[in-house]
Amino acid sequence: MLFRSMDAVARFTLAARQTAALEARMTATWPQIKAHTPLTYAVTRQQQRLQPQVNALTEQATEMKAMHLRLQTALEQLDPTLSGTSKRMYADLAEAAALHDRVEMLEDPIQFALDHYELANWRLTEIGAARRGQVLEVLIVIILLADFGMRFLDALLPRLSVMFSTVIP
């Protein structure tokens, strides 16, 4: 009985700590989401420098989603090797700490953060690729103009040499 009780308390303690950590991480993420909101609709050249920061926050949101899914699984207690006593005690502790409600309340904000940073990351990548594409287009136009100029000079030089050869004895 003591072993089963200790098992339930240990599992509950881990789940409670992870829930509190996840709540704290989500609370700390809101100001960053607000600061990066302009990246979801318009990206300037200066904002492209935020790409590493947005990448890190995208990874953080993904980690929060993974932790959330692990917590949901832990709260379901699907492991068949757990004893009935341990499951009941864990369920009572989780209910007293309102873990189910707290984890459920985190689902939408975490999904929003994940969606927000995926969109911001996509926009930054899209704008960066478009700008690189414009640079390549300008280089191609310059090369074509240079080629046209060389062909024009090749066609013009024989005629100029004929004109000047008659003028210069």
Side-chain angles (χ1 to χ4, degrees):
M1 179 73 173
L2 179 63
F3 173 74
R4 292 178 184 146
S5 299
M6 288 176 56
D7 175 61
V9 170
R11 289 186 303 114
F12 165 75
T13 302
L14 180 62
R17 285 182 183 168
Q18 287 179 342
T19 302
L22 194 55
E23 289 170 332
R25 284 179 79 181
M26 191 62 228
T27 300
T29 302
W30 284 117
Q32 296 167 328
I33 289 173
K34 184 173 181 169
H36 294 130
T37 297
L39 298 177
T40 61
Y41 58 87
V43 178
T44 66
R45 190 175 301 272
Q46 291 174 337
Q47 289 172 324
Q48 282 187 296
R49 288 180 253 170
L50 296 174
Q51 182 75 55
Q53 188 178 13
V54 170
N55 288 345
L57 290 165
T58 303
E59 287 178 20
Q60 180 179 332
T62 302
E63 290 168 2
M64 288 190 315
K65 182 68 173 178
M67 182 184 284
H68 181 262
L69 292 172
R70 285 191 304 270
L71 277 169
Q72 284 180 322
T73 302
L75 289 173
E76 293 299 320
Q77 301 188 74
L78 299 175
D79 187 356
T81 61
L82 295 173
S83 71
T85 304
S86 178
K87 284 183 175 183
R88 277 190 303 279
M89 184 175 269
Y90 178 86
D92 290 343
L93 290 168
E95 185 178 338
L99 286 186
H100 287 283
D101 295 337
R102 290 167 58 196
V103 169
E104 186 179 327
M105 290 300 294
L106 287 168
E107 187 170 2
D108 289 338
I110 290 172
Q111 188 60 49
F112 175 79
L114 189 60
D115 293 345
H116 174 79
Y117 279 110
E118 283 178 350
L119 178 60
N121 219 335
W122 180 77
R123 294 286 294 156
L124 284 168
T125 303
E126 176 187 304
I127 295 299
R131 290 206 172 116
R132 283 188 295 278
Q134 287 174 340
V135 168
L136 287 175
E137 288 172 4
V138 168
L139 287 174
I140 290 170
V141 168
I142 290 170
I143 290 170
L144 289 173
L145 285 174
D147 183 54
F148 174 75
M150 295 300 289
R151 290 177 191 267
F152 181 74
L153 282 176
D154 281 346
L156 186 63
L157 282 179
R159 290 184 185 159
L160 287 176
S161 65
V162 170
M163 282 179 40
F164 285 115
S165 66
T166 59
V167 174
I168 303 176

